[in-house]
Amino acid sequence: MGNFLSPPEKESSNNNKQPSVQPNSRKRKKKSSSLTRESYNVKKEKQKGKGKEKGIQKLKRKRYNTNATKKPRQQTQRISQTQQTQRKSQTQQNQNLELTKRKRPIKRKVVLMFSYCGTGYHGLQIQYGELKHIKTVETDLVQALIKCNAIHPRNQEDVKKIGWSRAGRTDKGVHSARQYVAFKMEFSYDEEQMVIELNKHLPSHIRAWGIRRVPKSFLAHKRADSREYAFLLPTFLFSGKKVQLIEPNFETKNNFVDDKVLFDKFDSEALAFLNQKVFSQFVGTHNFHNYTKKKNFSEPSSKRYIKRMEAEEPQTIGGIKFVLIKIHGQSFMLHQIRKMMTIAITVMRGGEKLSFIEESFGQQQLRIGIVPGDGLLLNKVFYEVYNNQKMGGIDKGDIYFEEKDQQIEEFLQNKIYKKVSQLEKENHTFRRWLNNYYQYPIERK
């Protein structure tokens, strides 16, 4: 069969078909693109909605958290501030420590020589623990050393940290003309200026005289070869009748030695007898177990060597006549010198014979009284062996200050001797002891 349409009709039909097909395809494309755009926009809107919801939720959470956790945040801020302040203080402390370490002076081992009047003090040695409140000479000395930056303040709790050692201990009320203390000193000044600064912070009855450099291993008591003590005693102890005290509440008793006194007054004859007959028997090596506490005859440490014992010419101090007795020995025990004076007084007043002194060195145990220690003082400490070895060293000189002898003698006269005379006038210490001594004579066990 043939075509029912004419050629123009075919064309027209073709024409009609072509536009119908092309726009449809375009429309479909448009529809697909519009759909994708719509879906894309919907997705965006949904995402925006979700984002808004999330943002709203976050804001709600933030608001909730801020409302619920305000106090902890303030606390954390406060803690952080305290931590910052602590850190700042720590850094400042560290910086200060570094500065102090840099600026801290050089520390050297030295020996310090000083004098002191021991009246009012419970001895020389510094005390710790339960006895910390007791006033001693070293407590004032250590405080003065701290004030002039010679030692660190923390070392006052235990002076052994700075290698502290003393030439010899002194008891309650005992004085010293030349005492030596060794320790590690911080040198802020030179030796002479340090002595001047130290005396500014010391009381008037304690005076520093000089400083010497010594080796690190130096110990003041072990390096000392010998010591010399001096005892200032009233002359009425050795001569004259018993001294009576006129006081309303004082009981006087008959003294059995009143009629046996060897000398009525202490003149040149009495002085010669005291030196040549009495004190000469103490010179040499003897067993002094009866002259101290808790010592037996068999103990080797009971033997002591006395080099010299001599009384000087009497002198009047404050209206009272005194005699100065010097005892030079290698070493001494507790109360040894005071008991030696008791035996000498007993012999001079006729209580015992001269032979009794030699008997006191024997095995028999004796109970000997003790003379008051108001006039006792450590006069000198000798470092002869050390001075011979170290003499001429570059920075370590001899341990003796001869140029200070005159000043020390003035200090003895003004601060110690006058104080002993004043105490005797006020308290009658030696008079009381003499009146009461023979109520408790020497006992033989």
Side-chain angles (χ1 to χ4, degrees):
M1 290 179 68
N3 292 325
F4 295 100
L5 295 174
S6 59
E9 288 179 354
K10 284 183 183 179
E11 290 177 2
S12 62
S13 62
N14 291 328
N15 293 327
N16 292 329
K17 282 181 183 177
Q18 284 176 358
S20 64
V21 172
Q22 286 176 357
N24 287 333
S25 61
R26 286 178 186 173
K27 281 181 184 178
R28 282 177 187 171
K29 286 179 182 178
K30 284 180 183 179
K31 281 181 183 178
S32 61
S33 63
S34 64
L35 285 170
T36 53
R37 283 178 186 176
E38 286 177 1
S39 61
Y40 178 73
N41 292 329
V42 169
K43 282 181 182 179
K44 271 190 175 182
E45 287 176 0
K46 284 181 180 179
Q47 284 176 358
K48 284 180 182 180
K50 286 180 181 179
K52 285 180 182 180
E53 288 177 358
K54 286 181 181 179
I56 291 164
Q57 287 177 359
K58 284 181 182 179
L59 287 170
K60 284 180 180 180
R61 285 175 187 172
K62 284 182 182 180
R63 288 173 185 173
Y64 177 77
N65 290 330
T66 52
N67 291 327
T69 59
K70 275 184 180 179
K71 290 181 180 179
R73 281 189 179 179
Q74 287 177 357
Q75 287 178 357
T76 52
Q77 285 177 0
R78 287 176 186 173
I79 291 165
S80 63
Q81 285 177 0
T82 53
Q83 285 177 353
Q84 286 177 2
T85 53
Q86 286 177 357
R87 287 175 184 175
K88 285 180 181 179
S89 62
Q90 285 178 358
T91 52
Q92 286 177 358
Q93 286 176 0
N94 293 329
Q95 288 175 0
N96 292 330
L97 284 170
E98 288 177 1
L99 289 171
T100 51
K101 285 180 181 177
R102 290 174 188 172
K103 293 181 179 179
R104 199 166 181 175
I106 300 169
K107 191 184 286 186
R108 293 286 184 268
K109 190 75 175 283
V110 299
V111 160
L112 170 67
M113 188 183 78
F114 63 102
S115 304
Y116 58 88
C117 178
T119 304
Y121 290 101
H122 291 264
L124 168 70
Q125 187 176 1
I126 191 170
Q127 301 293 329
Y128 299 104
E130 295 178 356
L131 302 175
K132 189 177 181 179
H133 63 282
I134 291 176
K135 186 180 180 182
T136 62
V137 177
E138 285 184 351
T139 53
D140 287 350
L141 179 62
V142 169
Q143 289 297 323
L145 289 168
I146 290 170
K147 288 177 182 177
C148 64
N149 298 322
I151 60 175
H152 198 275
R154 64 169 174 263
N155 292 322
Q156 67 181 335
E157 298 176 359
D158 187 8
V159 291
K160 290 181 181 178
K161 294 178 181 178
I162 53 175
W164 192 276
S165 64
R166 55 195 70 83
R169 298 179 185 178
T170 54
D171 299 332
K172 180 181 178 181
V174 178
H175 323 283
S176 180
R178 296 170 183 85
Q179 177 67 270
Y180 295 88
V181 170
F183 62 98
K184 294 176 184 176
M185 177 183 281
E186 296 179 359
F187 276 89
S188 303
Y189 315 95
D190 59 358
E191 285 84 349
E192 293 181 1
Q193 187 63 33
M194 182 63 77
V195 171
I196 295 168
E197 294 294 326
L198 183 59
N199 284 325
K200 289 179 183 178
H201 300 288
L202 284 170
S204 61
H205 53 270
I206 303 176
R207 289 292 92 183
W209 302 116
I211 297 169
R212 287 284 187 272
R213 289 275 308 278
V214 291
K216 292 181 180 179
S217 60
F218 184 91
L219 296 174
H221 60 288
K222 288 189 176 181
R223 285 282 191 170
D225 306 319
S226 59
R227 297 164 181 83
E228 182 183 270
Y229 282 83
F231 214 149
L232 189 70
L233 293 173
T235 56
F236 62 74
L237 293 175
F238 300 96
S239 64
K241 299 265 179 120
K242 181 181 176 181
V243 180
Q244 300 292 336
L245 289 175
I246 303 171
E247 292 183 7
N249 298 324
F250 185 77
E251 295 181 3
T252 58
K253 294 186 178 181
N254 294 327
N255 190 346
F256 71 92
V257 297
D258 279 346
D259 298 330
K260 299 179 182 179
V261 173
L262 300 181
F263 300 93
D264 292 333
K265 59 182 180 180
F266 195 83
D267 51 9
S268 58
E269 187 180 355
L271 180 63
F273 184 85
L274 183 63
N275 287 329
Q276 296 172 12
K277 300 294 183 180
V278 179
F279 289 159
S280 61
Q281 295 192 48
F282 289 103
V283 177
T285 302
H286 301 286
N287 195 314
F288 288 94
H289 70 99
N290 284 320
Y291 291 80
T292 186
K293 288 182 177 181
K294 298 179 181 179
K295 285 285 183 182
N296 297 324
F297 178 80
S298 58
E299 294 184 28
S301 59
S302 298
K303 291 183 179 180
R304 299 297 162 115
Y305 175 59
I306 305 299
K307 291 186 174 184
R308 184 174 62 91
M309 189 171 181
E310 187 178 2
E312 296 181 350
E313 290 290 334
Q315 53 182 319
T316 303
I317 303 169
I320 301 174
K321 198 174 182 180
F322 286 92
V323 57
L324 186 66
I325 302 160
K326 293 183 179 179
I327 309 101
H328 185 193
Q330 191 173 11
S331 60
F332 297 91
M333 295 182 289
L334 180 66
H335 301 324
Q336 180 182 340
I337 295 173
R338 294 165 70 181
K339 289 193 175 188
M340 289 165 68
M341 291 299 108
T342 302
I343 297 298
I345 292 167
T346 304
V347 171
M348 290 292 289
R349 298 192 70 85
E352 296 289 347
K353 295 180 180 179
L354 279 169
S355 60
F356 175 74
I357 299 174
E358 191 65 31
E359 292 175 8
S360 66
F361 302 140
Q363 294 186 11
Q364 187 179 11
Q365 291 185 355
L366 304 173
R367 183 180 177 273
I368 303 172
I370 303 174
V371 176
D374 289 351
L376 182 61
L377 60 99
L378 177 62
N379 191 33
K380 292 179 182 179
V381 181
F382 297 92
Y383 293 95
E384 294 177 357
V385 175
Y386 175 83
N387 290 339
N388 292 331
Q389 291 176 351
K390 298 296 178 183
M391 196 73 160
I394 297 172
D395 55 356
K396 299 178 181 66
D398 62 326
I399 304 175
Y400 192 74
F401 301 85
E402 295 180 356
E403 67 277 6
K404 302 293 182 179
D405 285 347
Q406 186 176 355
Q407 296 179 20
I408 292 171
E409 187 62 32
E410 291 175 359
F411 178 85
L412 289 173
Q413 293 289 339
N414 297 326
K415 297 296 181 180
I416 297 178
Y417 296 165
K418 285 184 179 180
K419 190 67 176 179
V420 175
S421 178
Q422 181 185 352
L423 290 173
E424 181 58 26
K425 283 182 178 180
E426 294 174 356
N427 303 327
H428 307 290
T429 306
F430 292 106
R431 291 173 183 266
R432 287 177 182 276
W433 178 84
L434 184 61
N435 279 282
N436 295 328
Y437 171 64
Y438 288 104
Q439 298 175 23
Y440 308 97
I442 295 170
E443 295 181 1
R444 292 171 171 83
K445 298 181 181 180

